[in-house]
Amino acid sequence: MTLYEPAYIKTYNSGLLNQKIEKANEALHNCKLCPRECGVDRHISKKGVCRTGFRARVVTYLPHFGEELSLRGTKGSGTIFFAFCSLLCNFCRNYHITHETAGKEVSDNELAEMMIFLQNQGCHNINFVTPSHVVPQILAALKIAIAKGLKIPLVYDTSSYDSIAALKLLEDVVDIYMPDFKFWNPETAKLTCNAENYPEVARKTIIEMHRQVGDLVINEAGLAERGLLIRHLVLPKGLADTAIIMKFIANEISPQSYVDIMPQYTPCGESFKIPGLAVPIQKKEFKAAIKDAEEAGITRLEEQKADFLL
Ligand code: SF4
């Protein structure tokens, strides 16, 4: 039996992690870490759309038992929730975290301590939630955490609104990419998050994530070790264009893709401003989404309970 080693250990031992940290730190001077391309100097705490300066801001960190089965296992996924976001969907379930000022700024050392704390709690992985705007801070903290004994997989839980350059910095660092493919239609993306280019960006970034880590590998204990786990939140009135997204995943990513079709959409934030988004989804809409995935040829689907839907 070969012992599991996360990707970042080799990257750390070879010195490549230092180079990535330097590059990422430099990128903060003219921040184009995500497709918003604000061009602000975050070293002097100038802030762009993500309202995050030089330090990452953390809202909470805890063993999370609501994540996918292969991430939560029996001891939970070690989630670290970052404040703010660069995509800013106006229906966000975590609206108070992503849109409003929450949490506290943390040093690289404090972020590293959170990772070690979660590992010591028995968590099966470190799960960075909404991390696209804090890639440099994650890399710098990771180096400290590795020196302190970090050895569990890293999960990058993203909206998919990342830049390819930022993802390249994460190559051989992140073990499990968990992108959300939200919607296909640029008009929906414009209305919900003022990011008409979201669908195009998501297609490219998910292809890049898959190139780096491949399909999801789940070990004998049922835990995810490496690969791609795609999420898709079903929206009311077909607004997510689920069928087209599922065909894209099966045909352009891999028919072996592991997909979690999520039923928990509920109107939050400013969803009432968007026609169709002011209501929860119905059970028949969720069932149709599962059928869309199956018809597209996707066989690895997270089991979801949708009894709470009408
Ligand atoms: S990470 Fe933040 S500052 Fe940088 S480009 Fe994206 S939104 Fe703008």
Side-chain angles (χ1 to χ4, degrees):
M1 193 175 105
T2 42
L3 276 182
Y4 172 78
E5 186 180 84
Y8 55 79
I9 297 289
K10 209 185 256 176
T11 307
Y12 173 82
N13 288 337
S14 69
L16 188 57
L17 185 59
N18 283 332
Q19 292 175 30
K20 287 175 181 285
I21 292 169
E22 242 173 72
K23 225 171 160 181
N25 198 36
E26 188 55 36
L28 282 176
H29 278 297
N30 176 20
C31 189
K32 294 183 179 167
L33 278 166
C34 84
R36 297 287 186 196
E37 298 197 342
C38 303
V40 293
D41 187 349
R42 291 172 57 186
H43 277 272
I44 53 169
S45 280
K46 286 262 186 309
K47 294 172 186 173
V49 173
C50 65
R51 293 189 289 152
T52 304
F54 185 63
R55 295 262 182 241
R57 208 173 170 93
V58 172
V59 177
T60 187
Y61 59 106
L62 75 171
H64 196 307
F65 293 88
E67 301 292 74
E68 285 74 359
L69 183 59
S70 63
L71 297 181
R72 69 176 184 264
T74 53
K75 304 269 185 164
S77 177
T79 40
I80 300 179
F81 286 84
F82 292 104
F84 303 134
C85 176
S86 54
L87 186 58
L88 295 170
C89 300
N90 53 16
F91 59 85
C92 183
R93 221 177 161 206
N94 295 324
Y95 195 90
H96 62 293
I97 293 177
T98 51
H99 289 245
E100 292 160 8
T101 306
K104 91 178 219 329
E105 283 194 351
V106 295
S107 66
D108 298 339
N109 202 42
E110 286 171 310
L111 190 50
E113 285 298 340
M114 290 173 190
M115 297 185 212
I116 296 299
F117 169 82
L118 292 166
Q119 177 170 279
N120 289 345
Q121 292 291 302
C123 293
H124 304 292
N125 44 65
I126 300 297
N127 185 347
F128 299 113
V129 183
T130 322
S132 307
H133 54 302
V134 287
V135 167
Q137 293 84 347
I138 289 172
L139 290 171
L142 177 65
K143 181 182 169 184
I144 302 168
I146 296 169
K148 289 176 188 271
L150 190 75
K151 55 180 185 216
I152 53 178
L154 296 187
V155 183
Y156 187 80
D157 175 356
T158 172
S159 66
S160 303
Y161 204 53
D162 294 274
S163 72
I164 297 294
L167 292 178
K168 298 260 189 218
L169 290 170
L170 296 169
E171 183 163 11
D172 298 323
V173 171
V174 164
D175 301 286
I176 299 156
Y177 280 108
M178 186 156 63
D180 192 355
F181 200 149
K182 293 173 178 289
F183 14 68
W184 187 265
N185 187 337
E187 221 168 280
T188 310
K190 171 91 182 138
L191 276 173
T192 52
C193 46
N194 196 26
E196 214 168 352
N197 63 349
Y198 172 84
E200 190 194 341
V201 168
R203 287 193 287 273
K204 288 184 182 156
T205 55
I206 298 175
I207 286 172
E208 169 62 16
M209 292 178 217
H210 185 257
R211 182 194 69 75
Q212 289 185 20
V213 297
D215 293 327
L216 190 69
V217 174
I218 298 177
N219 68 17
E220 286 169 5
L223 297 170
E225 285 190 343
R226 184 172 172 81
L228 184 72
L229 193 169
I230 304 172
R231 282 178 166 176
H232 175 72
L233 179 68
V234 182
L235 293 180
K237 319 287 180 210
L239 278 170
D241 283 312
T242 303
I244 308 176
I245 289 178
M246 293 304 134
K247 278 186 198 143
F248 169 79
I249 292 172
N251 299 335
E252 307 296 326
I253 307 282
S254 160
Q256 289 306 310
S257 295
Y258 192 100
V259 181
D260 182 8
I261 296 188
M262 303 184 295
Q264 58 264 54
Y265 175 79
T266 189
C268 292
E270 300 166 71
S271 54
F272 61 90
K273 288 185 181 167
I274 311 296
L277 277 188
V279 290
I281 67 160
Q282 296 178 359
K283 195 178 271 178
K284 63 178 181 199
E285 291 176 302
F286 178 67
K287 282 186 176 167
I290 297 289
K291 198 163 167 246
D292 288 338
E294 288 168 349
E295 283 179 359
I298 292 169
T299 53
R300 301 178 76 200
L301 282 170
E302 178 81 2
E303 206 172 305
Q304 281 282 8
K305 286 198 171 56
D307 304 345
F308 59 93
L309 295 175
L310 297 172

